[in-house]
Amino acid sequence: MASGLNTSVPTRISGGKNTTAEKLLVAASELMIERASIEVSLSDIAQKSGVNAALVKYHFGNKDGLLLALLARDAATEMSQLEYLINQPISPTAKLKLHIGGIIRAYHQFPYMNRLIHYLLHESSTEAADEVSKFFVAPLLEFQRRLLAEGIKAGEFRKVDPVMFYTSLVGACDHLFFGRHAMSRATGVGPVTDEVCRQYIKHMEALICGGMLSEKKAANGE
Amino acid sequence: MASGLNTSVPTRISGGKNTTAEKLLVAASELMIERASIEVSLSDIAQKSGVNAALVKYHFGNKDGLLLALLARDAATEMSQLEYLINQPISPTAKLKLHIGGIIRAYHQFPYMNRLIHYLLHESSTEAADEVSKFFVAPLLEFQRRLLAEGIKAGEFRKVDPVMFYTSLVGACDHLFFGRHAMSRATGVGPVTDEVCRQYIKHMEALICGGMLSEKKAANGE
């Protein structure tokens, strides 16, 4: 992961060894979770971390540099887990279920992750956008492509287009965190607790694997 | 629909009868589609519509008023179709499939719709947010609640939590339009054409109804 960031993130932070840089990332992450928004200023981050504002510029160049480093930090763990998962000696269906749980837990742990991805892809520099595609979207899509192929070959999955699959799975997982406020206003639905997360993982596993027709209907091929 | 907006949208536009107000909404809608963003200024809207900027203020009060009126315009058609759909003499499964197609086509026609909903729910005034919940989120969720109950009663659907179902379906549909740019950068995936839309509707119908396990696996109850 670290070497993939060399072009736009200063190498002095890419290894995650610099304590000041790490402090700034922790502060940025905490502020985004507190505010449920990625709209945090460099001076807010400096203040919360107790680090001199000038050092933010020194370590990350600008705000986009910091956001990119934050996403890279959070994504690195997730991506290495995908590589681990694909090589496990378990069935493709079991891998798929673990993958669904992994995505939802990652969003729960880093609820700002998807906003950050979209901000960096759409509203920041081209270099930042290319980095995000390279270290986040492409590996996730590639993992799902391999998993789908494996499952189809094993006779467990029907043929599914990987890009459409990616869109529906990532979209559905993301929306638990993005769309929840809208529903809570409309219907008194509460916040996303650990328990809600667990329930949603079960819901998504069942939906993605078996859909929502009753067993009798499904067996009739409807 | 119109009477539900009286508290925050001037009544002179709520009936959709005022030509100047309609022109402004058309211009706002077109600009948002062109830019793939809801970041359009009142002066841009005035300029594109050929309407004097002062009239924007006269008709909508402020930008949030205009955005709310735009969303109300687009949502009104969709919501009346839900009422029509639930009363059709067809099976719950058939209704569900038509509903999935309806959501995806609505996003395709108004790609800024979901951004607008989230902006109005999270970043604008409390009154605007309450209006959106009232005329958009709540009726959609209520429709799905009724459809799910009908399908379970008919023995066609297994038991599914309506809030979780709403989250996964709306999230998956939304992501085709929100997440597409990310994928196109990563993988050369193209824009959302009419054909992509049709394919995604088929994908989502199959996924939501039957999941992605092969028929043999599904029949074994796995």
Side-chain angles (χ1 to χ4, degrees):
Chain A
M1 290 303 300
S3 64
L5 290 169
N6 282 346
T7 49
S8 55
V9 178
T11 50
R12 59 186 170 276
I13 69 101
S14 63
K17 299 263 167 55
N18 186 298
T19 330
T20 305
E22 272 171 25
K23 260 191 204 164
L24 289 168
L25 294 182
V26 168
S29 163
E30 288 176 357
L31 280 173
M32 288 177 188
I33 291 172
E34 279 168 32
R35 299 185 186 173
S37 166
I38 62 165
E39 298 297 326
V40 297
S41 71
L42 287 184
S43 62
D44 288 345
I45 295 168
Q47 196 179 6
K48 188 176 177 86
S49 62
V51 170
N52 188 300
L55 284 175
V56 182
K57 209 172 160 49
Y58 171 78
H59 283 293
F60 300 104
N62 55 27
K63 193 180 160 185
D64 283 359
L66 183 139
L67 296 180
L68 191 59
L70 177 61
L71 184 61
R73 183 198 74 166
D74 297 344
T77 320
E78 302 310 317
M79 294 306 152
S80 68
Q81 285 175 353
L82 294 184
E83 199 49 42
Y84 177 80
L85 178 56
I86 198 88
N87 292 316
Q88 290 310 294
I90 53 176
S91 73
T93 304
K95 287 181 194 177
L96 177 62
K97 287 183 180 176
L98 288 173
H99 179 48
I100 292 169
I103 297 178
I104 294 171
R105 277 190 210 94
Y107 279 134
H108 189 44
Q109 196 179 351
F110 311 112
Y112 51 81
M113 197 187 267
N114 216 40
R115 300 287 76 72
L116 216 47
I117 292 170
H118 287 284
Y119 167 77
L120 289 167
L121 282 167
H122 300 310
E123 294 165 53
S124 71
S125 68
T126 316
E127 292 78 13
D130 287 343
E131 284 300 312
V132 175
S133 295
K134 222 185 291 170
F135 74 68
F136 197 94
V137 183
L140 186 50
L141 187 50
E142 180 54 27
F143 165 82
Q144 293 184 355
R145 216 183 274 278
R146 285 163 69 192
L147 178 55
L148 291 176
E150 196 184 307
I152 292 166
K153 201 178 158 197
E156 292 184 22
F157 302 162
R158 63 181 173 79
K159 214 158 175 281
V160 177
D161 178 81
V163 172
M164 301 219 162
F165 179 77
Y166 173 101
T167 306
S168 46
L169 178 58
V170 172
C173 294
D174 173 52
H175 209 65
L176 178 63
F177 303 93
F178 191 52
R180 194 78 177 178
H181 294 289
M183 279 184 291
S184 66
R185 226 172 233 287
T187 62
V189 170
V192 181
T193 60
D194 289 351
E195 179 54 27
V196 168
C197 240
R198 271 192 294 275
Q199 287 170 0
Y200 199 62
I201 289 171
K202 278 181 69 179
H203 165 76
M204 284 303 297
E205 282 178 357
L207 191 68
I208 293 287
C209 289
M212 57 170 293
L213 294 194
S214 64
E215 278 175 35
K216 201 174 120 239
K217 284 288 276 191
N220 291 339
E222 285 181 63
Chain B
M1 288 301 301
S3 65
L5 289 168
N6 283 346
T7 49
S8 54
V9 178
T11 49
R12 58 186 172 276
I13 68 102
S14 64
K17 298 264 165 57
N18 186 298
T19 330
T20 305
E22 272 173 24
K23 261 191 203 166
L24 289 167
L25 294 181
V26 169
S29 164
E30 287 176 356
L31 280 173
M32 287 178 189
I33 292 173
E34 279 167 33
R35 297 185 187 172
S37 165
I38 62 165
E39 297 300 324
V40 297
S41 71
L42 288 183
S43 62
D44 289 345
I45 295 168
Q47 196 179 6
K48 189 177 177 86
S49 61
V51 169
N52 188 299
L55 284 177
V56 181
K57 209 171 159 49
Y58 171 76
H59 283 292
F60 300 104
N62 56 27
K63 193 179 159 187
D64 284 359
L66 183 139
L67 296 180
L68 191 59
L70 177 61
L71 184 62
R73 185 199 72 167
D74 297 344
T77 320
E78 302 308 319
M79 294 306 153
S80 68
Q81 284 174 355
L82 293 184
E83 199 49 43
Y84 178 79
L85 178 57
I86 199 86
N87 291 316
Q88 290 309 294
I90 53 176
S91 73
T93 304
K95 287 180 195 176
L96 178 62
K97 286 184 181 175
L98 288 173
H99 179 49
I100 292 169
I103 297 178
I104 295 171
R105 278 190 208 95
Y107 278 135
H108 189 44
Q109 195 180 352
F110 310 112
Y112 51 81
M113 195 187 269
N114 217 40
R115 301 287 76 71
L116 215 48
I117 291 169
H118 287 283
Y119 167 77
L120 289 167
L121 282 167
H122 300 310
E123 295 164 54
S124 71
S125 69
T126 314
E127 291 79 13
D130 286 343
E131 283 300 312
V132 174
S133 295
K134 222 184 292 170
F135 75 68
F136 197 95
V137 182
L140 185 50
L141 187 49
E142 181 54 27
F143 165 81
Q144 294 184 355
R145 215 183 273 278
R146 285 163 69 192
L147 178 55
L148 291 176
E150 195 183 306
I152 292 165
K153 200 178 160 198
E156 293 184 23
F157 303 162
R158 62 181 173 80
K159 214 159 175 282
V160 177
D161 179 81
V163 172
M164 301 219 162
F165 179 77
Y166 173 100
T167 306
S168 46
L169 178 58
V170 172
C173 294
D174 173 52
H175 209 64
L176 178 63
F177 302 93
F178 191 52
R180 194 79 177 180
H181 294 288
M183 280 184 289
S184 65
R185 227 170 231 287
T187 61
V189 171
V192 180
T193 59
D194 290 350
E195 178 55 27
V196 168
C197 241
R198 272 191 293 274
Q199 287 170 3
Y200 198 63
I201 290 171
K202 278 179 67 177
H203 164 76
M204 285 302 298
E205 282 178 358
L207 191 68
I208 293 287
C209 289
M212 56 169 296
L213 295 192
S214 63
E215 279 177 34
K216 202 173 121 242
K217 284 288 276 191
N220 291 338
E222 284 181 66

